[in-house]
């Protein structure tokens, strides 16, 4: 297909990919699901500006100001990320454009990432690896996950996926969410009220952060929280770096106030080469990698293709994952 022509089409895919996976794979996944519709891929900035002029349904990672300015007929923007804070939401709302996100795409892979991090610290595989590197055969003490309490901050699609994967391990779970009255899949559900949160921290063995970065969650885990949590507890952050006060975390690590931390996100990010967090043997750092999965575009295409069909059927006000 010549991506530069101006033939009519049903869905426009913008050019930015993610996780190093070519955006062509996303367009192909949409075509497999929408066999009776035309999916166009804009591969250059000029093509984005040209093709979006006639587009009603557009999907992509980003929506720059110049591309949005050229969008005279846009009705739906299907964001290919779970987060939409980077989008010009005020302008889209003024134009009456519906916005959806990719919530749920990351559930399985991030759930597995968190489970792996917890098991790593439970069985202390990092200690075994260090001894293997030294060819040192020496027993070391480990922990047991069964009977532990895992507190999960954020019970969206990712928090739910984490909870599901913990079920076979015989743990007690506490969920933290803005609206605890909604309940959730965890054994207990609490809100962000300071007293309730600290009471939960006092009996937490593994604290998993899976929440968006908001005014409420920025600095949620600071000095007071790290003093409250049990010294044998482990922090796992797959949310956003600023949910944790980095200076307070460093103080806790240096003072043995916490057993360890698994950080897929940091503040600052990327983590500078000379940052002290790199030097702790009980800190696992991954480069914001928990979101990577070879199934990303397939899961995203399932959501977006369903919404294309709803939109074409006149159900534009009832789109899956609609945030605006």
């Amino acid at each position: 297909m010549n991506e530069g022509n101006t033939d009519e089409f049903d869905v426009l895919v913008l050019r930015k990919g993610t996780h190093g996976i070519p955006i062509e794979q996303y367009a192909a996944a949409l075509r497999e699901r929408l066999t009776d519709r035309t999916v166009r891929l804009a591969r250059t900035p000029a093509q984005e500006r040209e093709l979006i002029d006639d587009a009603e349904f557009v999907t992509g990672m980003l929506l720059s100001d110049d591309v949005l300015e050229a969008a005279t007929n846009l009705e739906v923007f299907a964001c290919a990320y779970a987060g939409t804070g980077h989008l010009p939401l005020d302008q889209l709302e003024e134009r009456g454009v519906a916005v959806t996100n990719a919530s749920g795409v990351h559930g399985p892979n991030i759930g597995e990432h968190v489970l792996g991090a917890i098991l790593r610290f439970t069985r202390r595989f990092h200690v075994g690896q260090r001894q293997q590197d030294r060819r040192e055969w020496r027993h070391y003490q480990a922990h047991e996950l069964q009977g532990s309490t895992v507190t999960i901050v954020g019970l969206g699609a990712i928090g739910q996926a984490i909870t599901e994967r913990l079920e076979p391990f015989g743990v007690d779970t506490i969920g933290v969410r803005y609206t605890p009255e909604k309940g959730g899949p965890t054994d207990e559900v609490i809100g962000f009220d300071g007293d309730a949160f600290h009471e939960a921290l006092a009996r937490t063995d593994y604290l998993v952060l899976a929440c968006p970065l908001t005014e409420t969650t920025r600095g949620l885990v600071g000095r007071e929280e790290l003093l409250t949590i049990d010294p044998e507890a482990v922090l796992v952050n797959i949310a956003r770096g600023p949910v944790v006060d980095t200076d307070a975390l460093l103080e806790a690590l240096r003072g043995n106030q916490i057993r360890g931390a698994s950080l897929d996100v940091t503040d600052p990010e990327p983590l500078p080469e000379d940052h002290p967090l790199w030097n702790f043997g009980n800190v696992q750092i991954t480069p914001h990698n928990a979101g990577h999965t070879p199934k990303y575009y397939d899961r995203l295409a399932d959501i977006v293709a369903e919404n294309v069909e709803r939109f074409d059927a006149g159900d534009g006000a009832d789109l899956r994952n609609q945030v605006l």
Side-chain angles (χ1 to χ4, degrees):
M1 177 183 293
N2 179 4
E3 300 293 356
N5 64 40
T6 56
D7 293 341
E8 291 185 1
F9 55 91
D10 301 287
V11 181
L12 176 63
V13 179
L14 302 182
R15 63 194 167 98
K16 184 184 185 308
T18 190
H19 297 304
I21 309 173
I23 194 65
E24 284 82 0
Q25 293 185 23
Y26 178 34
L30 284 172
R31 292 184 183 115
E32 289 176 0
R33 290 157 177 78
L34 298 168
T35 56
D36 57 343
R37 294 172 176 84
T38 302
V39 177
R40 297 293 307 280
L41 172 60
R43 287 300 286 114
T44 68
Q47 285 182 358
E48 287 186 337
R49 294 190 298 270
E50 174 191 357
L51 293 174
I52 204 170
D53 179 49
D54 295 321
E56 294 183 346
F57 197 109
V58 177
T59 182
M61 313 287 167
L62 306 175
L63 187 59
S64 60
D65 291 339
D66 60 330
V67 174
L68 178 58
E69 185 177 349
T72 58
N73 296 297
L74 183 61
E75 295 194 38
V76 178
F77 182 74
C79 181
Y81 288 133
T84 56
H86 63 289
L87 297 177
L89 294 176
D90 290 342
Q91 298 178 53
L92 289 166
E93 186 173 17
E94 288 175 6
R95 290 168 171 247
V97 177
V99 177
T100 64
N101 68 9
S103 177
V105 169
H106 287 305
N109 48 288
I110 293 185
E112 291 172 3
H113 181 100
V114 169
L115 186 58
I118 289 175
L119 290 174
R120 175 184 188 267
F121 278 95
T122 299
R123 300 309 303 169
R124 301 186 74 198
F125 290 134
H126 54 298
V127 175
Q129 184 63 57
R130 285 200 302 269
Q131 293 186 184
Q132 180 179 340
D133 291 342
R134 297 193 295 261
R135 301 182 183 182
E136 179 182 348
W137 185 276
R138 180 165 60 89
H139 288 278
Y140 57 90
Q141 292 184 332
H143 301 267
E144 189 170 295
L145 183 55
Q146 181 170 286
S148 299
T149 297
V150 182
T151 296
I152 303 165
V153 181
L155 290 181
I158 292 173
Q160 293 176 39
I162 294 167
T163 305
E164 290 171 3
R165 282 154 182 77
L166 285 169
E167 285 180 2
F169 289 87
V171 300
D172 296 320
T173 54
I174 303 171
V176 185
R177 69 185 313 173
Y178 289 106
T179 51
E181 61 272 11
K182 288 184 178 179
T186 51
D187 297 316
E188 300 176 44
V189 180
I190 63 171
F192 283 94
D193 173 75
D195 290 340
F197 184 51
H198 277 256
E199 194 277 334
L201 289 179
R203 51 196 175 96
T204 293
D205 299 295
Y206 296 90
L207 175 61
V208 179
L209 304 177
C211 54
L213 179 63
T214 65
E215 291 183 6
T216 299
T217 61
R218 183 179 294 274
L220 178 70
V221 179
R223 185 173 184 274
E224 292 301 318
E225 290 71 31
L226 290 167
L227 283 173
T228 301
I229 202 168
D230 191 282
E232 284 297 304
V234 172
L235 169 68
V236 180
N237 189 6
I238 52 87
R240 288 294 184 268
V243 175
V244 176
D245 182 323
T246 301
D247 290 339
L249 177 59
L250 285 169
E251 180 182 337
L253 288 165
R254 287 168 175 152
N256 291 320
Q257 296 170 4
I258 189 171
R259 176 157 43 111
S262 175
L263 308 175
D264 189 57
V265 289
T266 58
D267 183 25
E269 187 177 309
L271 195 65
E273 292 182 9
D274 60 350
H275 199 280
L277 276 174
W278 289 112
N279 300 321
F280 288 90
N282 59 342
V283 174
Q284 176 189 36
I285 296 174
T286 49
H288 208 140
N289 209 62
H292 178 266
T293 168
K295 300 293 186 181
Y296 190 96
Y297 288 146
D298 285 329
R299 295 190 190 123
L300 177 62
D302 287 340
I303 297 169
V304 174
E306 179 181 334
N307 280 339
V308 170
E309 293 173 351
R310 291 188 184 188
F311 174 71
D312 288 349
D315 296 330
D318 187 27
L319 299 177
R320 182 177 169 188
N321 285 0
Q322 187 164 350
V323 297
L324 187 65

